[in-house]
Amino acid sequence: MKIGKVEIEKTAALAPMAGVSDRAFRELCRQFGAAYTVSEMVSAKGVSMGDRKSEELMNLSDFEHPCAVQIFGNEPEIMAQAALAALDKNPDIIDINMGCPAPKIVKNGGGSCLMKSPSLAGNIIKAVTEAVHQNSDIPVTVKIRTGWDGNSINAVEIAKIAEENGAAAVTVHGRTKEQMYAPPVNFDVIRLVKEAVSIPVIGNGDIEDGITAAKMYAETNCDLVMIGRGALGRPWVFEQVSAYMKNTRIIPDPPVSQRMIIMLRHIEKLCEYRGERIGLREARKHALWYTKGIRGAAEYRRQLSTVDSLDDLHKIAYIISCDSCKDA
């Protein structure tokens, strides 16, 4: 499928996740077959104020294309300025976040709060697309939810507004803001969005393997699927989706020893980018996800939650691998 001139393999993309989809994780997911990645969401206001952390979040590597920088905010002019700043990072796509349900984002009028303000949403999309297209041919996309709550399911309306104001694709997370991540996704709304617009539609929510990815495609007729929480501690999920989509082959999760090798590869790259002290602190949550479902995980998690050196991490990973071989 194509978003503007950007060609993307029709398997699965990595969703933007704050504090998770950093450069190290995006690269790893690409190595396992993620067709497309999106950065952590970047505050447009932070970029406009010269915030170093916001600027760093936009950094992309040569190994993750096609990829997007995602920005969030509620002021058209500032969003446009942030989009222009993002162009300096050489993204393939600029993505606008109108789906994040986090309270600290919503209370400031960003993320899924914009689902309640269609006119403002349109103004933001228009400002961003006009600014970007005056300087490049990079497409602009929008990520939304089905609505604010069960009484205001307006994803179709917002998707139409996005298309009318220049968006080249829209991603729909199949839940309302109020639902957060709990109930099953609403395939019907995603399908209705697909039927209502002519731009590509990406389906997001509850995809954790090839079977659930295929179901999203079948139920919604979407152009691409996007995986978020299903990739936590499981970057190989993209390989599983690809195998199933190509020949309905089911690839099991790797054995524990292989998982530990992948975890170490991930965290070493994270430390390379962020420095060992910060990298390990940020890696602790990833380490907990990699050990999910492993026998004796509670004790391993206790140890991993306080690890403060790569040497210690390697020792714990080795012990976990050895213990799993004994149990096999």
Side-chain angles (χ1 to χ4, degrees):
M1 55 90 75
K2 283 187 175 183
I3 298 177
K5 294 182 179 179
V6 181
E7 293 188 6
I8 300 173
E9 185 179 356
K10 193 170 180 177
T11 50
L14 174 66
M17 293 177 282
V20 176
S21 57
D22 54 35
R23 187 163 36 148
F25 189 58
R26 296 195 305 268
E27 284 186 19
L28 185 61
C29 289
R30 281 288 291 159
Q31 291 166 16
F32 276 101
Y36 165 56
T37 63
V38 186
S39 75
E40 299 174 75
M41 60 181 182
V42 180
S43 167
K45 184 168 286 187
V47 173
S48 71
M49 296 175 65
D51 177 63
R52 188 175 68 177
K53 183 177 180 180
S54 297
E55 195 271 339
E56 288 177 351
L57 287 175
M58 296 192 292
N59 287 335
L60 305 171
S61 75
D62 294 335
F63 307 105
E64 55 178 307
H65 295 279
C67 54
V69 169
Q70 187 187 77
I71 57 176
F72 76 92
N74 67 340
E75 299 170 272
E77 184 177 344
I78 290 178
M79 287 285 282
Q81 292 172 4
L84 292 178
L87 292 180
D88 293 336
K89 303 298 183 177
N90 194 34
D92 300 287
I93 293 169
I94 299 293
D95 188 55
I96 301 173
N97 184 312
M98 294 188 176
C100 178
K104 69 178 181 179
I105 304 299
V106 170
K107 74 177 182 180
N108 290 316
S112 56
C113 188
L114 291 168
M115 299 290 293
K116 297 196 296 182
S117 305
S119 178
L120 176 57
N123 289 338
I124 289 172
I125 297 165
K126 182 178 181 180
V128 171
T129 55
E130 287 183 348
V132 169
H133 293 161
Q134 285 173 6
N135 293 271
S136 74
D137 61 354
I138 288 176
V140 174
T141 60
V142 183
K143 189 164 193 277
I144 64 175
R145 284 191 164 235
T146 57
W148 176 259
D149 57 28
N151 296 317
S152 57
I153 305 294
N154 64 341
V156 169
E157 177 189 5
I158 299 295
K160 287 182 177 180
I161 288 172
E163 182 176 27
E164 291 166 1
N165 286 282
V170 61
T171 300
V172 185
H173 182 110
R175 298 183 178 92
T176 66
K177 179 270 175 188
E178 291 297 324
Q179 289 176 315
M180 298 291 285
Y181 303 99
V185 297
N186 190 328
F187 291 126
D188 292 338
V189 174
I190 301 175
R191 186 183 68 254
L192 290 172
V193 170
K194 174 60 183 172
E195 293 171 353
V197 297
S198 60
I199 56 176
V201 174
I202 302 171
N204 177 218
D206 283 356
I207 300 170
E208 54 188 27
D209 53 27
I211 294 173
T212 49
K215 183 176 181 180
M216 175 69 82
Y217 276 120
E219 295 284 342
T220 69
N221 197 33
C222 64
D223 299 280
L224 185 69
V225 299
M226 181 171 277
I227 303 176
R229 292 173 303 141
L232 299 180
R234 302 178 64 245
W236 53 82
V237 67
F238 298 97
E239 187 177 69
Q240 294 174 323
V241 170
S242 181
Y244 191 84
M245 293 300 299
K246 289 176 180 177
N247 54 26
T248 64
R249 183 162 60 98
I250 296 177
I251 298 178
D253 286 344
V256 173
S257 58
Q258 185 64 25
R259 272 195 248 178
M260 292 301 98
I261 292 172
I262 296 168
M263 179 188 76
L264 290 173
R265 198 166 96 207
H266 177 181
I267 295 175
E268 285 170 355
K269 181 60 69 172
L270 181 55
C271 289
E272 177 185 328
Y273 286 141
R274 301 286 288 153
E276 187 168 331
R277 183 178 65 84
I278 296 175
L280 283 172
R281 189 175 65 211
E282 295 183 354
R284 288 170 182 167
K285 57 181 176 289
H286 290 285
L288 301 186
W289 289 322
Y290 277 108
T291 56
K292 183 178 180 181
I294 295 177
R295 185 175 178 181
E299 175 57 25
Y300 299 143
R301 290 181 178 185
R302 185 191 67 77
Q303 297 176 36
L304 289 167
S305 66
T306 58
V307 68
D308 57 8
S309 74
L310 278 173
D311 284 343
D312 287 344
L313 181 68
H314 275 267
K315 290 175 184 177
I316 297 171
Y318 178 75
I319 291 170
I320 293 174
S321 296
C322 290
D323 287 349
S324 70
C325 291
K326 294 175 185 176
D327 292 336

